[in-house]
Amino acid sequence: EKTLWEIYYPPFQAAVDAGADAAMCGYNKVNGHYDCENSEQLGVLKRDMGFRGFVESDWWATHSSSISQGLDQDMPGSPRDYFSDGALARADQDAVNEAATRILSAMYRANV
C-alpha cells in the first residue's frame, strides 16, 4: 500500500487535483483482475483520490458488465454488449445512476 501511494499513484492524484474529468482503463490485470473491472483500483481513484469524473474503457478492454465495479462507460464499438440497454437494465441501478451522473457532470463542467 505504501509503495502504491509513493510511486504509482502520484501521477493519477496529480491529474485528479488538476481537475481531470475523464480517465481510461486499459487491458492490464492488477492483482488478477482486468483494469476495467478492478473495483479496488477504481475505488482508490474515485473514493480515495476524490476523482469526480468518469472512467471509460479503452477499445475492447471490457471483459464483463463491470459497471458495478466502477467502470462508467464502455468505448463504443465493442463487439460485446456489456453496456447495452438490456445489460444496464439488469445491472445495479445505483451503479448505473452513479455512472450517468459522473458522465453528465463532466459534460456540464466542460460546458458541452
Side-chain angles (χ1 to χ4, degrees), residues 50-106:
F51 181 61
R52 295 173 38 214
F54 65 94
V55 178
E56 181 171 16
S57 70
D58 201 348
W59 295 105
W60 303 290
T62 305
H63 295 88
S64 69
S65 181
S66 49
I67 195 163
S68 294
Q69 286 77 26
L71 179 63
D72 298 309
Q73 183 172 324
D74 189 22
M75 185 67 78
S78 174
R80 301 222 165 63
D81 291 328
Y82 295 129
F83 279 67
S84 67
D85 291 346
L88 292 176
R90 291 186 299 275
D92 175 55
Q93 291 306 292
D94 288 337
V96 173
N97 289 337
E98 180 181 341
T101 299
R102 286 178 172 278
I103 293 165
L104 294 172
S105 295

Side-chain angles (χ1 to χ4, degrees), residues 15-28:
V16 170
D17 294 344
D21 275 327
M24 180 175 278
C25 56
Y27 307 99
N28 300 344

